[in-house]
Amino acid sequence: MTDGSMAEPDRLPPRTARDRAVRALLALLVLALAAMWIYAWVFAPRGDPDRISDQAWADAAEARCAIASEVVTAVPVEQDDAQRRADDVDAVTGALAAMVDDLGATLPKDPDDADTVARWLDDYEIYLDDRREFSAGLREDPTTRFEVTAVENRQITAVIDRYADVNGMQSCMTPGDVT
């Protein structure tokens, strides 16, 4: 019966082009997020990018670094006489420089490993330059403080030490003989 007393049901307004565009954009966003998580869970590389695959090289590096570490512990770091302290810093720096040279002469065979090791050794060279500047500064001013280069808002020693730690080369970490 349609006598006009019954109210007509509410009808939804037709979808506009804007509504369709918003829905399509939201659908694309959901698909993009799903694709990102699928990639992260299934396809993304695993592990630490600093870890080298050549464990034999890491073991040999650890052995070489242990030799330098013995020199570091054998050198008494003079605190009262700036000239002697500079000499001590130079002695340790020389042992570390020889270690870095030796490690650089025997890079891993894998190109990716060789690249990360070379970058690590480049960082070590920067640290050695910091030590050299410190000892030279001590010879001119006994109040000179040791300053370490920052890389990406972190001290370069943190970068060097993390790489050594990740690869099981604890003897290759920077020594704490100067502060």
Side-chain angles (χ1 to χ4, degrees):
M1 295 171 95
T2 55
D3 61 1
S5 63
M6 293 186 69
E8 194 164 314
D10 292 335
R11 293 191 183 258
L12 295 174
R15 289 195 179 129
T16 64
R18 182 175 181 258
D19 292 338
R20 287 190 295 271
V22 168
R23 284 180 179 250
L25 186 62
L26 288 173
L28 283 173
L29 179 64
V30 168
L31 287 173
L33 287 172
M36 177 194 71
W37 283 110
I38 289 170
Y39 173 79
W41 289 331
V42 178
F43 300 108
R46 300 279 186 251
D48 195 318
D50 283 341
R51 184 172 311 281
I52 60 175
S53 61
D54 188 346
Q55 189 57 48
W57 187 91
D59 292 342
E62 170 62 19
R64 175 57 185 95
C65 292
I67 295 168
S69 186
E70 289 174 10
V71 172
V72 171
T73 56
V75 174
V77 180
E78 175 63 45
Q79 297 298 326
D80 296 329
D81 182 291
Q83 297 303 314
R84 286 192 1 213
R85 184 171 186 212
D87 291 342
D88 293 344
V89 170
D90 286 342
V92 170
T93 302
L96 294 173
M99 174 194 79
V100 168
D101 289 345
D102 289 349
L103 295 176
T106 60
L107 292 175
K109 292 182 183 8
D110 178 84
D112 291 335
D113 287 352
D115 181 56
T116 62
V117 168
R119 285 187 282 128
W120 175 64
L121 294 175
D122 288 345
D123 290 343
Y124 230 114
E125 288 290 349
I126 293 169
Y127 169 69
L128 294 175
D129 288 342
D130 292 340
R131 292 178 64 93
R132 291 178 187 111
E133 287 179 28
F134 174 61
S135 68
L138 279 176
R139 293 180 198 292
E140 294 179 22
D141 178 7
T143 63
T144 297
R145 297 188 56 107
F146 181 54
E147 294 184 20
V148 178
T149 299
V151 175
E152 297 176 6
N153 297 324
R154 296 186 324 182
Q155 288 187 337
I156 201 155
T157 53
V159 176
I160 294 167
D161 292 349
R162 183 186 183 292
Y163 188 87
D165 185 49
V166 163
N167 289 294
M169 304 180 307
Q170 279 67 31
S171 296
C172 298
M173 293 177 152
T174 56
D177 62 319
V178 291
T179 55

